[in-house]
Amino acid sequence: MTDDLERKKRLVAAWRGAERVLSRSLLEPTVGELLAELTAAAGEGPDEPADLYGDGVVTRLERRVAELLGMEDAAFFPSGTMAQQVALRCWAGRTGNPVVALHPMSHPERWEGGAVSLVSGLRTAAVTDEPRQPTASEVRELAEPFGTLMLELPLRDAGFLLPSWEELEELVAAGRDRDAVIHFDGARLWESTEWFGRGLPEIAGLADSVYVSLYKSLGGISGACLAGPASLIAEARVWRHRYGGQVFRQFPQALSGLAGLERELPMLPSYVAQAGVVAEALRSAFVSAGVPWFRINPEVPHTHQFQVWLPYEAECLTEAGLRQAEETGTVLFRRWHPQGPAGLAMTELEVTRPGLSWTPQDITEATTAFLARL
């Protein structure tokens, strides 16, 4: 445990000290830096009263999210896990069916500790086991009835994958043909507009409810919003209190979320475009270097995030990236994770504002320097 902690400290110190990065890690900011950002986010209204159990600036955030998504109302939650559990529980009560059809790689199955069944009393049914978005035919052919079809957009663990717009419309229609409501796990829905070629209200409008994150893609402190019909959100607020989410003061998260919407939302299309440039430059660099096997997943990124796979041990790759950061001040890759068969490792790349200045030549040089340290 001590070795892991020391490694983490060393990684964060190297990332903070780097001059060239594709994005800044959420692990990097200090308490002082985050407080300074909050002061700036207060803007011209530093004397605005702090919220009491979700009024004031929290209400302002909720209205802004509802407006951006074209929904009747939205409710702030301290975590996406809570927002998602409440949404699924509310829909189960309304449909009378506790079964949620979803992908087994989706967030509730991978990252919520079994809360769908253990806390909410629901049951899940896998639409497909393939590492991709499900198809409309798979939804129609699911062997058992289900009350809610949950779609994670993008599907993070499969490579931040999105269906095409036509495929998404067909998926939604298939769910409705099965008399199910549609819920979007849209933690990273903000950056999906470029791939779909549609605005947020048109995308969200396909679903009955949508959850969005305030720190993923937006860089906020924490928190999430659940958006949907006014009656559903009113019920969700009741369950939020029952789940312990009616926190006394939440203005830091709300201010940070509002600032992220203003700062990052307009920039996401440029991040997505630059991710395509980075992915292609990486592919060329690996080929030129004679790397025996690699994978960029997906080949053309659907968002500003994508996966890179290499045939080395994860520890070896993480150490190479760490030494590159310490010795050159450049961060190309961060932490790698063992995935699939032994000897394969995967990392996720994200392109944000700092990465916009990178040229294909910059990517080639950084890749060469990284590979030299393996």
Side-chain angles (χ1 to χ4, degrees), residues 56-74:
V57 66
V58 177
T59 300
R60 183 152 57 92
L61 168 68
E62 292 172 336
R63 289 173 178 167
R64 179 61 175 148
V65 170
E67 175 188 27
L68 285 168
L69 296 177
M71 293 291 195
E72 287 184 358
D73 200 2

Side-chain angles (χ1 to χ4, degrees), residues 74-96:
F76 174 82
F77 281 80
S79 75
T81 294
M82 185 184 294
Q84 197 118 273
Q85 294 299 321
V86 167
L88 297 177
R89 181 165 196 154
C90 288
W91 284 127
R94 291 171 177 231
T95 64

Side-chain angles (χ1 to χ4, degrees), residues 58-359:
V58 177
T59 300
R60 183 152 57 92
L61 168 68
E62 292 172 336
R63 289 173 178 167
R64 179 61 175 148
V65 170
E67 175 188 27
L68 285 168
L69 296 177
M71 293 291 195
E72 287 184 358
D73 200 2
F76 174 82
F77 281 80
S79 75
T81 294
M82 185 184 294
Q84 197 118 273
Q85 294 299 321
V86 167
L88 297 177
R89 181 165 196 154
C90 288
W91 284 127
R94 291 171 177 231
T95 64
N97 189 322
V99 179
V100 180
L102 44 62
H103 198 293
M105 296 179 76
S106 62
H107 199 275
E109 295 289 75
R110 286 280 184 97
W111 304 106
E112 296 181 15
V116 168
S117 58
L118 295 175
V119 178
S120 299
L122 310 180
R123 187 162 56 83
T124 61
V127 180
T128 179
D129 292 327
E130 296 293 324
R132 53 164 172 76
Q133 288 284 352
T135 66
S137 62
E138 288 169 335
V139 171
R140 289 193 177 94
E141 294 167 8
L142 195 59
E144 60 181 316
F146 52 93
T148 302
L149 172 63
M150 197 205 86
L151 300 172
E152 183 176 316
L153 303 174
L155 186 56
R156 181 260 180 99
D157 282 356
F160 305 94
L161 299 184
L162 291 165
S164 69
W165 178 252
E166 292 73 23
E167 288 168 340
L168 181 58
E169 288 183 312
E170 292 170 1
L171 275 167
V172 170
R176 298 204 187 285
D177 287 345
R178 296 290 303 267
D179 297 322
V181 297
I182 312 300
H183 172 72
F184 285 171
D185 175 341
R188 298 173 172 85
L189 191 72
W190 306 116
E191 63 265 29
S192 68
T193 55
E194 292 303 292
W195 179 258
F196 288 135
R198 302 292 195 280
L200 286 168
E202 189 172 357
I203 299 168
L206 291 179
D208 296 287
S209 60
V210 179
Y211 138 63
V212 289
S213 174
L214 297 173
Y215 73 90
K216 296 170 182 174
S217 304
L218 299 181
I221 290 178
S222 65
C225 280
L226 175 66
S231 62
L232 175 79
I233 301 307
E235 182 185 359
R237 288 190 170 103
V238 174
W239 280 105
R240 179 182 63 186
H241 181 50
R242 290 169 175 161
Y243 272 62
Q246 191 74 357
V247 180
F248 179 58
R249 293 204 194 279
Q250 301 168 102
F251 70 89
Q253 293 90 334
L255 281 173
S256 183
L258 283 165
L261 288 169
E262 295 302 313
R263 181 186 65 248
E264 296 301 314
L265 203 54
M267 298 297 297
L268 286 171
S270 63
Y271 298 167
V272 175
Q274 180 68 352
V277 173
V278 172
E280 181 56 36
L282 274 174
R283 181 178 298 105
S284 297
F286 287 147
V287 170
S288 297
V291 175
W293 181 91
F294 68 88
R295 185 180 180 191
I296 308 295
N297 181 41
E299 291 187 3
V300 177
H302 295 183
T303 72
H304 66 308
Q305 298 170 297
F306 59 94
Q307 295 176 340
V308 179
W309 293 64
L310 286 175
Y312 300 90
E313 296 295 335
E315 185 69 18
C316 172
L317 293 166
T318 299
E319 179 64 24
L322 174 56
R323 287 192 288 111
Q324 181 180 15
E326 292 175 332
E327 294 164 10
T328 71
T330 295
V331 175
L332 179 60
F333 302 118
R334 295 178 185 270
R335 284 188 286 194
W336 292 77
H337 308 279
Q339 295 283 327
L344 288 184
M346 183 275 293
T347 190
E348 295 173 340
L349 277 190
E350 178 180 23
V351 178
T352 59
R353 195 179 303 260
L356 295 178
S357 64
W358 286 56
T359 66

